[in-house]
Every structure is written in C-alpha cells, then in structure tokens.
Amino acid sequence: MKLFLSSILVFLSFSLSWAQEEVNLNYYLPETFTYDPAIPEPSSILGFEVGEWHANHSQVVHYYQTVANSSPRATLVEYGRTYEKRPLLMLVVSSPENIQKIEEIKSSRAGLRNGTAKLDQMPVVMYMGHSVHGNEPSGVNASLLSAYHFTAAREIEEDLENIVLLIDPAINPDGINRFASWVNSHKSYHPNGDPANRELNEAWPRGRTNHYWFDLNRDWLPVQHPESRGRITQIQAWLPNIVLDFHEMGTDNTFFFQPGIPSRNNPLTPEKNFELTEKIAQYHARFLDEIGSLYYTRESFDDYYYGKGSTYPDVQGAIGILFEQASSRGHLQENAFGEISFPFTIRNQFTTALSSFKAARDMRVELNQYMVDFYNESKSAYAEDDDKAYIFGANEDYARSYHLADILLQHDIQLYSLQEDINLNGVPFSSGTSFIVPLDQPQYKLIKSMFETRTEFQDSLFYDVSTWNMPMAFNLDYMALSSRILNLAKVEDVSEGLTFQPGKVLGAAGAYSYAFEWQDYYAPKATYQLMEKGYQVRVTHKTFQNQLGKLFNRGTILVEKGNSTASDEAFYEDLQEIASANGISIHALSTGYTSGINLGSPSIDVLKQPSIALLVDEGVGSADAGEIWHLFDQRMEIPITLMSASSLSSANLNRYSVLIMPTGNYSRVGKTGVRKLNEWLENGGTLIARGTALNWLAGNELAAFSFLTPEKTTESTQKPYAALTNDRGARVTGGAIFNTNLDTTHPLGYGYLSGDLRVFKSGNQFLKPSDNPYANPLMYTDDPLASGYIHPENLELMKKKSVIQVSAKGQGRIIGFVDNPNFRAFWFGTNKLFLNAVFFGQTITGASAR
C-alpha cells in the first residue's frame, strides 16, 4: 500500500509541476547519457521545447530532415504522400556501417521467412509507429525525442551495430496537423486545466482520423489509404521483430502496455508471441517504475483483429506492442489524479521507447529465432491443413476480383491469375477474372485469417470486429481447394504486380444506341462521366437481347447522344475512353427492335444526373460520413457537397436531387429544417439515410420506419457485480457478417446476379419489415449468421428483418440502410447497393414504397 501511494504522489508531483514550471529537455532524457553536439536538439529547430507547444507536421518533418542530414547514424525515407499531399516519412537509425548497407540488410532479412538467415549476424529491427490517431499527440511529439536520443546518444553507439530502428514520426499527418492547429490556436499562456476549456474540446470531425475521416488503425489489413499502403510496403520489406504502436486513451486513466486480455487473442497467433510480449513488458515496467509512473496490463484491449497496428505484426512473426497513455488532449487538463500535462504524457511514451530499445538489444537472437520458428510453424500447419489453396473471382465483374487481388499483393502474398475457364463443384471460375492463392507460402496464417469463417469464440467481447472474410466483403465466389490446382489449370504468376484490365467498345461508331451492364463495379462512375459530357443516359427495368442474342439484365445503361452536338466519331471516342478507364464493355446496338423490350419501351427511364449533398458536422457519425465521401470522391470521382446538418434550414435544397444522412443525431436540424426537408421530399427528392438517422426520420414523421429492441430478461434477481461489464459487452455486435436475400428485380438490386448477399453489421439496430412487401428489397435470411460473433438473443431477433427499406413521401423516396454498405472502404460487395440508391432512387415507383 505504501508503494502504491508513493507512486500516486510521484505521478501527481510530475504532472502538477508541469502546470507551474517551464519545459526543460532534461525532464525527458535519462541522466546517464551524453549527447553528440553535432545533432541539434529539437528546440533549436522547432523554436520551442518539446511539450511546450504541439508540433505540427511540417515542424516534425523539418526536424527529421535536419537530423538525417546531421547524423551518420540515420537516413530518411519518404514512403508516400497523404491525401493532403503531406510526406510520409521513416527515419532509419543504426550504426553508420549498417546505414551504408541498408538494402543488404533488408535482403538478408527475407531469409527469416525462408529459413536461410544467419541469426548470429542478423540485426534486430524495431519499428516505432507514432500517432496513427492524430489527436493522440504524445506519440508524435515523443518521436522528436526518439529521433534526437537514438542519433545523438554516445552510449548506444555499440548497441546500434546490432539494431535497426525504423522511426515513423507521424502515421497520420493530416489528422495530426488538424489537431495541432486546434490546440495551438486555443492555447493560453496560463492554462488552468478546466475540461470545459475550448482547447480540450475539438470541433467535428476532430483530429483522430485522416483526410476522409477514416481510422487508420483499422486499415493495416485492408490497406485502402495511401498512409497504410506505403507503411505496409516498408513493413514487408524490413520484417521488423518488434512493432511499437503509440496511442492515447481517456484522461482519467494511467498508462497501458501489452499484454492485453489473454482470452481475446487471435487463435492463429502462437503462444510464444504472448510469452515474448510478457518478457518485453517487464522492461517497460522497470523503466516506468524508475520515473514513478502508474501503469497496468492484461485488463484492457485485445489482439484479435489483424488490421490494427499492434496486432498485424503478430501474424508476421513479429511482436506488436500497444501503448496507451492517458491523454491531456491539450497542454493541461484536470483528471482523477489531479492534473495531467502534455509533457508528462510525452515522457511516458518516450520512456517506453527506451525500454523497448533495451528489450530489443537483449533479445536480439531470441526475436530473430522466433520469426524463423513462426514461419516454420506455418509450414507445419500448412502440411496438416486439408486446404491447399483458395480460388476466388466474379465472372461478371473483373474490378472486384482485381481489388481483392491488389490487397493480397500489398501483403507480400503469392498470387496467380487463372488463364482458362474451369468449373469446380458446379461453380464456374473464368479466365482473367479469377485468382488462386496457394497456402504453401510464408503468409499462410494471414491468408487463413482473410478467408476463414468463424462463429465460435473463446471470448464474447471484442475490441474491434470479430471477422473480416475478404471474399464475402467483395461479394465474390470463392472456394477452398484440396489441391494447389496450379498443376491442374493454366495460371500466371502475378505476384510481382497486377495491372487493371481496360474495357472496350464492341462495335463501331454511328450505332443506333450503346449499352453496358450495371454489374461492373465502375459502371456508376462511367455513367456519371457520360452524363457530364451531356449524353443521354437511360436505365432498363426489364431484360432484352441484342441482335447477336446477348441478354442484357435489368439495370442495363443505354447511351445515346441525346442533345449533345458531338459527332458520331467524337461520341465514339468518348465511349472508348470511358470504357477503357473503367474496365467495362460497351456494346453497340444496331436497332431499337430488340428482343424482350424495344429500346423505346416505357420500361426504360431517362436518368437525371445526380446532384448530391452529404450532411456532416456535429452529431453526424464522421466515420460513416467519411466512407461515403471517399466512395464518391476517390472511387467514383463524383462531386459531392459536404453540407453542415445545422445549415439544412437555410440551404437551397432545390439544387440537390439526392441528400445523404449518415448515422448520427440530427437534433440540430430543428423544426425549420424538418419542414424544409419535408417539402423537398414532397417535391421528389431522394433521401438516403443510414443507421440512427432512420430513427430520427421516423421520430419526425418523415419516414415510416419501425424498430425492435431486445427484450430484457428477468430470470435472475441477483447477478455478480464483477460480471456486469462482460454480460453487457457480450450483447454488443461489434462487427460480424450476415446472410441476406436481395430482390434483384428491385432498382436497388440492379447489378447483382444472385439474391444471396453478405452484409457487414455492427450495432443492434433491428428494423421491422414494412407492411408493404415491395418496400423490403434486402432482408436477413432465417439463418443469418455467416461469420463472426453475435449474442444469441440478437441473432434470433434479426431473422427475416429488413436491412434496406424504402419509404415514400409525396413524390420523394426515403431509402433506409440499417447496415453500412461502405464499411471501412473495403466492403466492395455492397457499395453498389448505395450507388443504386443514388442513381436509381428516382425511378422507384411510389406504389412499392407506401
């Protein structure tokens, strides 16, 4: 008890003292080290001491460039650019001799995967990743100290002969800059720590996320953003033994380092990984004890989802270490212990960088041997596995197959393209649109995690998603194979890279009309581009056949010159360019007298070019909004207006044909906004709503949505208090995949050839089916669980319930999505549902929605 109380007093003395004293570099640096004066201290470049202000990204870049130019121990690598064009950097630190042979070291480390490495000569590599969440700034600011210490400290010169450090100062530069600008703009020279202070309460969307408001700490596996793609390329090239992941948590906490909760580890991760994590944890404990900081382990967080910074390394033969520092959020804030200062948070992070360095030095051979053993174990697991390969593809859409293949290649996974048509157990896989992933390769465990389905778990609580089956996410046919198949079918090794297949126009200029089908992923993008050029675009609601007997499904797009003054040749050139860029086939039609329906049929609607506004700002779920913004801006290249929800009452809604409401709380819209929205709907607008936005619409009588809630059980009058957190957590649907039935004859189902569709669900929103049976185009099946965890009571409740529902208001349509069709930008398989709502919502008949 005395030790515990003394630790609290030391903790308080450090944090409270920083409210009253000037920042000094000696506060951070260990006393036993001396430093090379040729390496500039951070303050000499920043113009202030570390922790006195929040360093913005350009200041961090400037310091890292200066250090790299000053030290023979370091070289700076730019591995990419963010959406906002900020450089993504990594400082490589080692002995001067090692710095001269970086490529040789990287090449030799590949032997850790194939068993040819010489462990006695192999340096240990430690990656240090800071502030993937931009408003967790102690990491990026601590990286300034790491850059200085590891390049300037004289006493570690010999250690660096056997260690390579990869210091990534800012995993999320755009978010870091957004946050630094906020807190510095609101900093007082005499802070008081009041939690109500504006400095400590960022404006929406806050600095946690990247430019499109994505949580980059969930993108290590999907690699959908430039920050992640560049970083994973470096990770795969270097194969680090230890990966440090610096984060922050709530202000009233202390400091967390792994191991996390043992029952929540991924079963594909070897037990030895946890033993080494525990061994490294003892170094952190000793170093934090020395400075009197409080900490804890094992009671929070998990290592289940391989898409996080501290867990992805665990399936790469490395040890991922999560650090969570209680956040000051600004420069000073009151907390449960008194006050917590920004310098105090930085010091803890830097201290664990020092402890990790010592652990890496002491455990060099052991860590390298573990990586060798990990991949040897993967070989043994493959030998015992009945599955020898996976095949996947979409015969009707090359793009979705291509994008999954691209993800696999990012993770250094060997991949083959199928070069002949084959049929496996009644499922056709086509040449050029299908790929084969052999399991006899080092990334065996990562591949298994990406293709497996799992419905039984050791624990019912998850820090993140409980499943991430990639073929399901892409709505692809896939199959586990008992043979490598590579010797049974003609294939091509595409492991070195893959080029997107261009589309083409089939037929000549001057045709009666042109048609392309909607099942291609980029058909909406092509459609918008044709609209932009002024061509007439129509959609068919029934099937037809052309003069060659080809069947065109519902949702086929017909293109004519319309009112455009373009010549036949110019029109044809535009069609060729758009078809090539989007990977679609456009067919020339020589006559309107087609089989099925003719091309002047009333079952064909002229489409109006959508003008889209996305509601954002306080109350709106920024992740949901960002995923929608990214889909239109990056994937489909369709302009979209970001409109503050609070300005709805004063906006000119008549310029928009489509309004999108992400999940969120829309109380700020007010009565005037509700009235304007009602008028806009009555006049024919299309409103697309997601998640809790449906509840708001129903509550304001703008849509006829009705919901179910799980019944509270009362079988016991007493339960253990200690079980409360787990009992409640078990009812949370953190992220699982479910089977649904899609009406492919409904405009929202166009482009899907099968009614069997898997959707991703998080949360416990359950929508009652509409009394109008035509208003429920997508429903869960009576056996909905495909993969992942859900509480049995929630599973029972969701059976045969609506996933998408359409409601009518005057001439307008409200299209409600319970689940997220754009989840984390990698759920390609359901993006089309959302795009259909935008392009075809205007065509849905009112009788089907009332």
Side-chain angles (χ1 to χ4, degrees):
M1 178 60 75
K2 287 183 178 179
L3 179 61
F4 177 77
L5 290 174
S6 65
S7 296
I8 291 180
L9 291 172
V10 172
F11 177 94
L12 290 175
S13 68
F14 280 140
S15 60
L16 287 169
S17 66
W18 273 104
Q20 304 161 27
E21 297 178 9
E22 288 188 8
V23 180
N24 189 300
L25 186 60
N26 291 332
Y27 172 70
Y28 302 109
L29 300 177
E31 296 179 355
T32 56
F33 288 85
T34 58
Y35 294 90
D36 182 353
I39 309 302
E41 295 181 356
S43 60
S44 68
I45 304 301
L46 301 175
F48 55 86
E49 190 55 82
V50 173
E52 188 178 0
W53 293 83
H54 286 246
N56 65 36
H57 186 254
S58 61
Q59 291 169 326
V60 173
V61 169
H62 187 195
Y63 183 67
Y64 268 65
Q65 290 171 336
T66 304
V67 167
N69 291 333
S70 304
S71 174
R73 295 181 184 178
T75 186
L76 194 61
V77 175
E78 180 176 324
Y79 63 81
R81 291 267 166 164
T82 71
Y83 289 114
E84 296 177 16
K85 306 305 178 184
R86 292 188 173 88
L88 293 155
L89 302 178
M90 187 174 73
L91 190 71
V92 182
V93 179
S94 191
S95 68
E97 294 75 20
N98 286 340
I99 293 297
Q100 297 302 313
K101 56 178 183 178
I102 281 177
E103 294 305 318
E104 180 183 334
I105 293 173
K106 284 197 288 187
S107 178
S108 67
R109 288 190 65 76
L112 295 170
R113 278 185 171 167
N114 59 35
T116 62
K118 297 179 180 179
L119 299 186
D120 58 331
Q121 302 173 14
M122 183 70 65
V124 65
V125 176
M126 183 167 74
Y127 170 86
M128 304 163 65
H130 301 85
S131 298
V132 68
H133 297 143
N135 60 359
E136 299 179 0
S138 58
V140 62
N141 286 271
S143 81
L144 297 165
L145 299 169
S146 290
Y148 175 67
H149 174 81
F150 292 119
T151 57
R154 294 188 177 97
E155 288 75 11
I156 65 169
E157 187 170 0
E158 186 175 337
D159 294 336
L160 289 174
E161 294 175 6
N162 293 306
I163 299 178
V164 177
L165 300 178
L166 311 174
I167 308 177
D168 190 330
I171 297 178
N172 178 10
D174 295 348
I176 287 166
N177 224 58
R178 191 184 317 135
F179 180 74
S181 176
W182 177 269
V183 292
N184 287 336
S185 295
H186 297 94
K187 172 187 164 100
S188 297
Y189 275 79
H190 302 283
N192 64 9
D194 183 351
N197 194 346
R198 185 168 168 80
E199 177 193 352
L200 308 178
N201 296 277
E202 304 166 75
W204 193 98
R206 302 168 181 84
R208 178 182 178 88
T209 52
N210 76 344
H211 175 79
Y212 286 101
W213 311 328
F214 279 77
D215 184 339
L216 291 176
N217 196 41
R218 304 300 186 268
D219 194 48
W220 287 66
L221 197 59
V223 285
Q224 293 303 298
H225 302 284
E227 299 92 337
S228 306
R229 294 175 74 87
R231 182 175 65 257
I232 292 302
T233 297
Q234 294 298 320
I235 293 290
Q236 291 299 331
W238 276 103
L239 301 182
N241 302 93
I242 298 176
V243 173
L244 306 182
D245 189 20
F246 294 90
H247 287 257
E248 290 184 0
M249 55 182 167
T251 301
D252 287 331
N253 290 285
T254 58
F255 189 93
F256 171 87
F257 53 85
Q258 285 179 312
I261 298 174
S263 62
R264 301 184 199 170
N265 293 319
N266 195 297
L268 289 170
T269 304
E271 184 64 33
K272 183 66 174 179
N273 178 286
F274 311 131
E275 295 174 9
L276 292 173
T277 302
E278 173 62 36
K279 187 172 182 178
I280 295 170
Q282 295 173 26
Y283 286 82
H284 306 321
R286 288 199 297 272
F287 274 62
L288 290 170
D289 284 346
E290 288 178 7
I291 64 171
S293 286
L294 298 176
Y295 55 84
Y296 73 101
T297 65
R298 302 183 193 87
E299 294 182 69
S300 298
F301 307 101
D302 64 37
D303 274 326
Y304 190 82
Y305 171 50
Y306 284 135
K308 298 185 301 178
S310 61
T311 310
Y312 179 80
D314 295 342
V315 76
Q316 301 294 317
I319 308 298
I321 305 291
L322 171 67
F323 297 123
E324 292 276 357
Q325 165 63 50
S327 181
S328 64
R329 273 296 177 262
H331 294 85
L332 182 71
Q333 185 169 179
E334 297 168 3
N335 72 350
F337 299 93
E339 289 179 328
I340 186 168
S341 70
F342 186 37
F344 178 81
T345 68
I346 295 170
R347 189 191 194 201
N348 282 342
Q349 301 279 36
F350 175 60
T351 297
T352 53
L354 298 176
S355 62
S356 301
F357 181 86
K358 190 172 192 308
R361 184 198 69 179
D362 295 350
M363 297 169 63
R364 176 180 69 88
V365 175
E366 186 177 14
L367 289 166
N368 281 324
Q369 183 63 58
Y370 169 70
M371 186 170 286
V372 171
D373 294 342
F374 176 91
Y375 289 109
N376 284 335
E377 181 184 314
S378 294
K379 289 181 181 179
S380 299
Y382 164 78
E384 297 174 3
D385 196 335
D386 292 334
D387 298 335
K388 300 303 177 186
Y390 290 105
I391 186 170
F392 66 87
N395 298 333
E396 76 283 3
D397 179 16
Y398 166 73
R400 281 181 286 120
S401 298
Y402 164 83
H403 283 296
L404 176 52
D406 179 61
I407 289 175
L408 296 172
L409 293 176
Q410 284 285 307
H411 297 290
D412 199 22
I413 291 174
Q414 189 179 27
L415 186 67
Y416 293 84
S417 173
L418 186 65
Q419 298 297 300
E420 64 175 297
D421 296 345
I422 60 174
N423 193 293
L424 298 171
N425 298 329
V427 180
F429 290 93
S430 297
S431 170
T433 65
S434 301
F435 296 90
I436 297 169
V437 192
L439 283 169
D440 187 12
Q441 57 175 305
Q443 294 286 46
Y444 165 83
K445 289 192 173 186
L446 179 61
I447 298 166
K448 291 294 285 189
S449 82
M450 297 170 79
F451 282 78
E452 72 173 1
T453 58
R454 190 184 293 271
T455 57
E456 295 182 2
F457 302 89
Q458 182 181 356
D459 200 314
S460 58
L461 276 70
F462 297 86
Y463 184 70
D464 202 78
V465 299
S466 61
T467 185
W468 52 94
N469 180 287
M470 289 293 180
M472 289 184 181
F474 283 76
N475 189 32
L476 298 174
D477 291 324
Y478 78 108
M479 193 176 297
L481 306 173
S482 59
S483 165
R484 280 173 55 90
I485 205 176
L486 304 181
N487 59 337
L488 303 178
K490 184 179 179 181
V491 298
E492 178 186 354
D493 190 341
V494 295
S495 303
E496 295 303 314
L498 192 60
T499 302
F500 186 75
Q501 293 177 3
K504 57 186 176 181
V505 179
L506 304 173
Y512 179 86
S513 182
Y514 294 88
F516 60 91
E517 295 192 272
W518 195 251
Q519 51 258 37
D520 291 300
Y521 183 78
Y522 288 109
K525 181 179 176 182
T527 299
Y528 192 87
Q529 290 172 344
L530 290 163
M531 290 173 166
E532 276 286 275
K533 291 182 177 293
Y535 299 125
Q536 179 175 274
V537 176
R538 298 184 294 151
V539 61
T540 66
H541 298 293
K542 292 183 179 179
T543 63
F544 70 93
Q545 286 182 308
N546 68 359
Q547 64 274 19
L548 301 176
K550 173 177 169 52
L551 177 68
F552 289 85
N553 290 295
R554 289 181 175 87
T556 292
I557 299 298
L558 298 173
V559 190
E560 294 91 24
K561 284 195 293 184
N563 294 325
S564 170
T565 59
S567 66
D568 287 349
E569 290 72 20
F571 179 34
Y572 187 74
E573 287 178 4
D574 284 339
L575 291 171
Q576 287 180 310
E577 180 182 340
I578 289 171
S580 177
N582 294 296
I584 66 174
S585 295
I586 300 179
H587 300 261
L589 304 176
S590 62
T591 176
Y593 196 67
T594 47
S595 176
I597 59 171
N598 303 141
L599 298 193
S601 168
S603 297
I604 303 174
D605 276 326
V606 175
L607 291 178
K608 297 177 182 177
Q609 183 174 356
S611 176
I612 311 165
L614 172 67
L615 298 188
V616 298
D617 223 329
E618 289 296 341
V620 177
S622 59
D624 200 26
E627 288 157 354
I628 296 166
W629 180 22
H630 177 270
L631 174 66
F632 285 95
D633 198 42
Q634 285 290 320
R635 293 262 173 78
M636 298 297 147
E637 298 181 7
I638 296 174
I640 186 169
T641 296
L642 305 180
M643 179 190 293
S644 175
S646 60
S647 69
L648 193 66
S649 59
S650 59
N652 176 18
L653 298 186
N654 293 329
R655 67 177 293 162
Y656 309 107
S657 59
V658 178
L659 286 178
I660 302 174
M661 300 180 71
T663 189
N665 176 0
Y666 288 88
S667 59
R668 286 177 173 80
V669 168
K671 292 181 179 180
T672 303
V674 171
R675 186 171 62 252
K676 286 195 66 174
L677 196 55
N678 184 76
E679 292 173 356
W680 177 81
L681 284 167
E682 291 279 359
N683 291 328
T686 299
L687 177 62
I688 304 169
R690 233 284 297 160
T692 55
L694 277 66
N695 301 76
W696 183 85
L697 289 168
N700 285 278
E701 300 182 347
L702 291 168
F705 299 133
S706 182
F707 304 90
L708 296 93
T709 54
E711 294 183 4
K712 294 182 179 180
T713 56
T714 57
E715 75 259 7
S716 176
T717 58
Q718 184 182 45
K719 286 187 175 182
Y721 177 82
L724 175 62
T725 300
N726 283 354
D727 287 349
R728 288 191 171 183
R731 294 178 180 274
V732 174
T733 307
I737 304 172
F738 296 93
N739 300 312
T740 63
N741 181 52
L742 175 66
D743 176 9
T744 59
T745 72
H746 194 286
L748 296 181
Y750 288 172
Y752 291 91
L753 301 186
S754 170
D756 296 328
L757 183 65
R758 272 84 173 227
V759 302
F760 183 87
K761 181 178 187 64
S762 62
N764 293 337
Q765 185 183 48
F766 303 107
L767 179 62
K768 292 180 181 179
S770 171
D771 291 337
N772 185 335
Y774 306 102
N776 304 301
L778 187 67
M779 299 182 68
Y780 302 114
T781 67
D782 56 7
D783 185 20
L785 182 59
S787 185
Y789 170 81
I790 185 172
H791 191 276
E793 291 181 14
N794 292 336
L795 179 62
E796 190 63 32
L797 193 63
M798 72 188 300
K799 292 179 179 180
K800 305 293 286 186
K801 301 303 185 299
S802 291
V803 184
I804 300 177
Q805 196 172 115
V806 185
S807 182
K809 190 76 172 177
Q811 297 300 310
R813 304 292 176 264
I814 303 99
I815 304 170
F817 287 78
V818 171
D819 298 329
N820 185 358
N822 311 308
F823 181 68
R824 291 184 182 168
F826 78 95
W827 215 265
F828 280 69
T830 50
N831 285 163
K832 194 175 293 294
L833 296 170
F834 201 82
L835 294 164
N836 287 354
V838 169
F839 281 90
F840 304 146
Q842 59 189 278
T843 74
I844 298 173
T845 179
S848 71
R850 300 189 193 285

